[in-house]
């Protein structure tokens, strides 16, 4: 559609992205854990695509944003180093796979500077983390299967005392239940041990997180809105029967380590929408999730009463609007169409868009609008 009518994109976006939509917009309903994975940065994507186009089908990066539609849980980014040290000390099967020598090297390397802000210490810590994580990921399959049996036995028997009472961020029973659940989906998988290196995150409805290129993650359960740069490049290394590229994964990661709070986003009111009196008086809202990249932003709109209306100002870029609840209408110019749960609409550049609720007041008319507007990003992020 946009290739046949470039005016729908805007000249600026057409020039920047070669006439292609710069983002992908999805709803994922996760009932079984998705793979442990990362997406390459632009330079690495170009290298991987040139070397292995079958498994890396394009040359673009793939930063992504996740917004919870229902309660969600996942693994995202490396835990604070003290937590990883804790698990190496309290999960014997994990230490066996990493290797006692590699575990001691990691513990010795980070001791006393786990939270240091010194750039020199941070780089040393990252190298130590990479060595320990690589040791785990290169464990032999028979050793992984044997260690997994030991881990599951401990998880079922220990309850709240599992993994040294779970550590600072998670309860023992919480982690025990997680290990048992994931083993029922991917028995004896290396991912059962990777979770001790990664933050375990739970998002409530409306909460969001942003993942840069080269950030490791795995989505475990829940319904989410996912928006990402336009790419199909995925480097996988666990919880999957698909192609796994452990050497690339272990070499590409940033090895940044921090609590999950550092990846959670803080949405703000969207300034370029007008709510009518019914919308305003009923507590309707339009909030912006704005990641630090130019390819996309997302606005979530909740119209909570019949007749509530949101009028979006024209923008110099394309939008995709999808509905996750309630019912209403969408109007662009003289055209008005019905909107229900699961409906998706494309809105071209420079078009005013009006959403209006027509359903039951007990169910908000909820939509998500992904869009790209380069001039807006320049203003928000201060980039030329």
């Amino acid at each position: 559609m946009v290739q046949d009518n470039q005016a729908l994109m805007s000249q600026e976006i057409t020039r920047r992205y070669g006439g292609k939509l710069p983002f992908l917009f999805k709803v994922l309903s996760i009932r079984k854990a998705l793979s442990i994975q990362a997406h390459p940065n632009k330079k690495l994507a170009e290298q991987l695509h040139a070397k292995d186009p079958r498994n890396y089908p394009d040359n673009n990066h793939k930063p992504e944003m996740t917004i919870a539609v229902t309660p969600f849980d996942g693994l995202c980014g490396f835990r604070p180093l003290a937590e990883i040290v804790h698990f190496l000390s309290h999960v014997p099967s994990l230490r066996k796979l990493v290797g006692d020598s590699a575990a001691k090297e990691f513990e010795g390397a980070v001791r006393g500077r786990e939270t240091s802000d010194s750039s020199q210490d941070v780089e040393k810590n990252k190298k130590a983390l990479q060595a320990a994580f690589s040791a785990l990921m290169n464990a032999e399959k028979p050793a992984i299967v044997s260690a997994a049996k030991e881990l599951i036995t401990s998880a079922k028997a220990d309850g709240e005392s599992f993994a040294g009472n779970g550590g600072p961020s998670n309860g023992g029973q919480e982690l025990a239940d997680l290990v048992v659940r994931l083993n029922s989906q991917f028995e004896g998988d290396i991912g059962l041990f990777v979770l001790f290196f990664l933050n375990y995150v739970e998002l409530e409805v409306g909460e969001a997180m942003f993942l840069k290129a080269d950030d490791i993650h795995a989505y475990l359960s829940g319904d989410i809105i996912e928006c990402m740069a336009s790419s199909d490049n995925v480097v996988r290394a666990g919880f999957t029967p698909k192609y796994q590229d452990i050497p690339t994964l272990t070499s590409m990661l940033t090895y940044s380590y921090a609590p999950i709070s550092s990846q959670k986003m803080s949405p703000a009111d969207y300034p370029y929408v007008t709510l009518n009196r019914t919308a305003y008086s009923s507590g309707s809202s339009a909030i912006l999730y704005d990641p630090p990249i130019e390819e996309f932003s997302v606005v979530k709109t909740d119209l909570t009463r019949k007749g509530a209306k949101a009028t979006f100002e024209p923008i110099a870029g394309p939008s995709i609007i999808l509905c996750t609840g309630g019912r209403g209408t969408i109007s662009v110019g003289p055209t008005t169409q019905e909107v229900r749960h699961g409906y998706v609409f494309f809105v071209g550049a420079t078009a005013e868009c009006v959403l209006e609720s027509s359903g039951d007041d007990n169910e908000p008319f909820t939509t998500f609008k992904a869009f790209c507007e380069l001039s807006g990003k320049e203003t928000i992020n201060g980039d030329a």
Side-chain angles (χ1 to χ4, degrees):
M1 179 175 64
V2 296
Q3 290 178 342
D4 293 335
N5 188 352
Q6 290 295 314
L8 294 171
M9 297 279 284
S10 85
Q11 290 183 354
E12 187 178 15
I13 289 174
T14 294
R15 285 195 301 267
R16 180 72 63 90
Y17 298 107
K20 297 179 180 179
L21 193 68
F23 60 84
L24 302 175
F25 198 33
K26 303 179 181 179
V27 178
L28 297 182
S29 186
I30 305 160
R31 298 296 177 264
K32 183 178 181 180
L34 303 183
S35 61
I36 295 168
Q37 60 182 255
H39 305 299
N41 61 44
K42 190 72 169 69
K43 182 178 179 180
L44 179 59
E46 291 170 352
Q47 296 170 352
L48 292 174
H49 178 61
K51 182 177 70 173
D52 185 2
R54 178 182 178 185
N55 288 303
Y56 302 104
D58 59 75
N59 62 0
N60 200 18
H61 68 167
K62 193 179 180 181
E64 64 185 49
M65 179 171 63
T66 297
I67 306 171
V69 177
T70 66
F72 159 90
D73 70 339
L75 305 171
C76 300
F78 286 100
R79 293 176 180 269
L81 299 180
E83 294 188 23
I84 299 173
V85 169
H86 169 88
F87 290 126
L88 286 171
S89 299
H90 291 89
V91 183
S93 54
L94 172 66
R95 194 177 187 91
K96 286 181 183 178
L97 287 184
V98 172
D100 189 59
S101 176
K104 286 179 178 177
E105 287 185 19
F106 172 73
E107 292 161 343
V110 305
R111 185 176 295 118
R113 58 167 178 254
E114 295 94 335
T115 59
S116 172
D117 292 330
S118 160
S119 58
Q120 187 176 11
D121 286 344
V122 169
E123 283 307 307
K124 288 181 179 178
N125 287 344
K126 286 183 177 181
K127 288 181 179 179
L129 178 56
Q130 180 175 11
F133 185 69
S134 298
L136 172 66
M137 296 306 296
N138 285 288
E140 298 291 335
K141 182 62 177 177
I144 296 170
V145 172
S146 175
K149 291 179 180 178
E150 181 181 338
L151 181 70
I152 296 305
T153 297
S154 176
K156 291 180 177 178
D158 294 349
E160 187 55 40
S161 64
F162 177 68
N165 296 314
S169 298
N170 307 112
Q173 188 66 61
E174 178 183 38
L175 286 181
D177 292 343
L178 178 62
V179 165
V180 171
R181 167 162 62 104
L182 293 175
N183 188 65
S184 71
Q185 299 173 7
F186 293 95
E187 186 174 359
D189 193 272
I190 188 64
L192 302 175
F193 299 94
V194 172
L195 68 86
F196 294 108
F197 276 76
L198 305 186
N199 289 301
Y200 175 61
V201 58
E202 295 177 296
L203 298 181
E204 297 301 323
V205 175
E207 287 191 305
M209 61 184 180
F210 175 68
L211 298 167
K212 302 184 297 292
D214 301 334
D215 276 351
I216 188 170
H217 59 281
Y219 298 159
L220 303 181
S221 70
D223 297 342
I224 61 172
I225 296 292
E226 187 180 45
C227 197
M228 66 203 75
S230 185
S231 172
D232 287 323
N233 289 324
V234 182
V235 184
R236 301 179 182 88
F239 292 154
T240 181
K242 297 180 180 179
Y243 173 71
Q244 299 186 39
D245 190 348
I246 291 171
T248 297
L249 183 85
T250 54
S251 65
M252 70 181 278
L253 299 176
T254 62
Y255 291 98
S256 296
Y257 49 90
I260 192 59
S261 57
S262 67
Q263 289 179 297
K264 285 189 176 182
M265 301 183 68
S266 299
D269 288 339
Y270 182 59
Y272 304 114
V273 64
T274 300
L275 302 180
N276 71 355
R277 182 175 297 180
T278 301
Y280 186 79
S281 65
S282 61
S284 297
S285 62
I287 57 173
L288 173 68
Y289 301 85
D290 192 37
I293 57 170
E294 66 178 19
E295 283 92 339
F296 61 83
S297 300
V298 174
V299 176
K300 179 189 180 189
T301 304
D302 287 302
L303 299 177
T304 58
R305 184 176 298 167
K306 186 175 182 179
K309 183 184 296 186
T311 301
F312 290 87
E313 296 178 15
I315 61 172
S319 303
I320 293 177
I321 296 175
L322 60 85
C323 176
T324 60
R327 58 190 177 92
T329 59
I330 181 171
S331 300
V332 178
T335 303
T336 297
Q337 295 194 33
E338 179 187 28
V339 184
R340 291 180 178 269
H341 180 263
Y343 283 27
V344 181
F345 296 86
F346 178 87
V347 179
T350 72
E352 182 183 81
C353 174
V354 181
L355 298 171
E356 183 173 356
S357 176
S358 61
D360 192 320
D361 290 350
N362 293 323
E363 184 180 14
F365 177 39
T366 301
T367 59
F368 291 84
K369 173 187 175 181
F371 65 94
C372 179
E373 185 181 31
L374 297 179
S375 58
K377 279 293 182 179
E378 290 161 7
T379 300
I380 292 169
N381 295 329
D383 298 328

